[in-house]
Amino acid sequence: MVVKVLGSSSRGNCYVLDNGSEAMIIECGVKFLEVKKALGFQLKRVTCCLVTHRHSDHSRSLRDIVSWGIKSLALEDVWNELGIYPGRNVIAIKPGQGYKFGNFKVLPFQALHDVPCVGYLIEHPEMGRMMFLTDSYTCEYTFPGLNHVFIECNYSDPDLLRAINEGRTMAAQRARLMTSHMELGTCKEVLRKNDLSKVSNIVLLHLSNENSDAQRFVAEIQGLTGKCVYVARPGLTIDMTNIC
């Protein structure tokens, strides 16, 4: 099982879990052609698509995915925004309710963004248990038995203040970020609260171009956890079968 990163920023977010025989799309905020290319145009292998919230950098290609008959999971708010009614392949999820597609097990949980949003616990025999959380300013839960953590680390307050002082970021942006995206210190706090003893990979999601420092973020999270830490960028592929 590998994960392929197609995008992880405000320009578009998309990740593909794939073991060669079955696949899962997580977020679809990039062009559908890019998704098809990542799957070798073998869409029949896709068991489902998961979307966290309605913003287009996470849901841009959802109509196309549904039109191909791929089972797609999202909050009712997302389907209302797109004007799509729940049906056989359009599933309005409820946080705390489990779902199964092929060998993938999925449990959505409540995230905290500026629109209704969820994170996902995803399990598969070939990779164990993965937490996926983006576009959430904190996490109210802890999860046992994690093997992989995909977590937003959008900005640090010192980097944000520096960008504001240098005129690269609008001052009003700080108030929004504090209630919509995860700061480095909060990311560390979430990681501290969870048992990471079986975690193989930590992947930092959705870093801001102006308000973050990828190299420093990786070094600090590695220092805190002692784990392999990656920044999600287009083209990154990670082997998920390495389970501690």
Side-chain angles (χ1 to χ4, degrees), residues 56-230:
S56 64
D57 58 323
H58 297 260
S59 65
R60 183 172 290 117
S61 297
L62 189 52
R63 284 185 181 277
D64 294 313
I65 287 170
V66 169
S67 72
W68 276 77
I70 296 170
K71 292 185 184 300
S72 300
L73 284 70
L75 291 165
E76 186 175 3
D77 176 77
V78 176
W79 301 121
N80 288 341
E81 177 75 9
L82 294 175
I84 298 175
Y85 294 101
R88 181 179 177 184
N89 295 318
V90 175
I91 301 168
I93 58 170
K94 297 183 183 301
Q97 180 174 322
Y99 304 85
K100 190 172 188 297
F101 302 93
N103 288 304
F104 288 102
K105 294 180 181 178
V106 177
L107 180 69
F109 59 91
Q110 196 72 51
L112 296 167
H113 193 38
D114 52 7
V115 298
C117 186
V118 293
Y120 290 100
L121 272 182
I122 304 165
E123 292 187 40
H124 190 281
E126 290 187 18
M127 71 171 193
R129 176 176 286 188
M130 165 186 169
M131 182 185 85
F132 181 90
L133 178 64
T134 188
D135 287 47
S136 185
Y137 63 85
T138 190
C139 182
E140 298 180 323
Y141 310 100
T142 58
F143 304 102
L146 293 176
N147 302 110
H148 310 276
V149 177
F150 283 55
I151 185 169
E152 182 178 56
C153 196
N154 181 259
Y155 71 103
S156 78
D157 212 43
D159 287 310
L160 173 59
L161 290 173
R162 188 178 305 111
I164 290 172
N165 291 335
E166 294 174 358
R168 292 180 285 112
T169 298
M170 295 180 63
Q173 185 75 351
R174 187 171 185 234
R176 177 182 181 267
L177 287 173
M178 291 173 67
T179 57
S180 62
H181 290 278
M182 193 172 293
E183 197 265 344
L184 173 62
T186 305
C187 178
K188 291 179 178 178
E189 182 182 348
V190 172
L191 291 169
R192 284 192 196 99
K193 288 181 177 179
N194 281 277
D195 178 7
L196 304 180
S197 61
K198 296 181 180 180
V199 167
S200 298
N201 304 300
I202 297 173
V203 183
L204 306 181
L205 309 177
H206 212 309
L207 272 68
S208 166
N209 287 333
E210 299 293 342
N211 309 319
S212 69
D213 182 329
Q215 187 174 357
R216 192 180 84 249
F217 284 18
V218 168
E220 292 191 19
I221 299 296
Q222 282 181 334
L224 173 69
T225 65
K227 302 295 181 178
C228 294
V229 181
Y230 305 87

Side-chain angles (χ1 to χ4, degrees), residues 12-31:
N13 298 268
C14 185
Y15 313 83
V16 174
L17 285 168
D18 193 352
N19 70 355
S21 60
E22 59 181 356
M24 169 187 283
I25 302 166
I26 308 172
E27 308 283 49
C28 54
V30 300
K31 292 180 179 179

